[in-house]
């Protein structure tokens, strides 16, 4: 499983960035999606698209609180009759592959 550091010091190659999205449901179950690989500009654009639309996970942002923690991290909090969940999207840099 590849690993990512979430606040990299420098870009190591042209396409070493990814957007890591972790969603946690009210019952504690969680799922993680990794989008990429991207270069740094593409990763920032993908994060911005996620913050505006909620895609690709089908996340409905219409009734959610979207917080930009930094230019590299977005937090989504959703509370409704149908359920509560949070999602964290952060840009990470590829560090190493599976051993």
């Amino acid at each position: 499983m590849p690993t990512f550091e979430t606040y990299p010091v420098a870009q190591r190659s042209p396409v070493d960035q990814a957007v890591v999205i972790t969603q946690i449901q009210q019952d504690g179950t969680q799922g993680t999606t990794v989008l990429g690989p991207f270069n740094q500009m593409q990763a920032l654009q993908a994060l911005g698209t996620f913050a505006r639309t909620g895609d690709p996970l089908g996340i409905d942002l219409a009734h959610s609180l979207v917080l930009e923690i930094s230019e590299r991290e977005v937090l989504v909090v959703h509370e409704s009759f149908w359920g509560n969940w949070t999602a964290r999207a952060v840009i990470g840099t590829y560090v190493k592959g599976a051993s």
Side-chain angles (χ1 to χ4, degrees):
M1 172 66 106
T3 58
F4 291 86
E5 59 184 4
T6 55
Y7 287 95
V9 176
Q11 189 170 352
R12 293 182 175 86
S13 75
V15 289
D16 66 350
Q17 308 283 303
V19 177
V20 181
I21 303 168
T22 304
Q23 187 175 11
I24 302 172
Q25 300 294 332
Q26 182 176 355
D27 63 3
T29 59
Q30 69 179 30
T32 301
T33 303
V34 178
L35 308 176
F38 299 122
N39 64 34
Q40 191 165 355
M41 185 57 66
Q42 291 169 330
L44 289 169
Q45 289 172 347
L47 184 65
T49 299
F50 171 79
R52 287 188 308 278
T53 66
D55 288 335
L57 300 176
I59 294 175
D60 178 20
L61 297 183
H63 303 288
S64 302
L65 175 65
V66 180
L67 302 167
E68 181 181 348
I69 306 301
S70 72
E71 71 174 7
R72 301 180 65 86
E73 183 176 4
V74 172
L75 182 66
V76 180
V77 179
H78 180 85
E79 292 186 15
S80 72
F81 177 75
W82 303 109
N84 303 329
W85 51 263
T86 59
R88 178 180 180 250
V90 63
I91 295 175
T93 299
Y94 178 75
V95 177
K96 63 181 179 179
S99 54

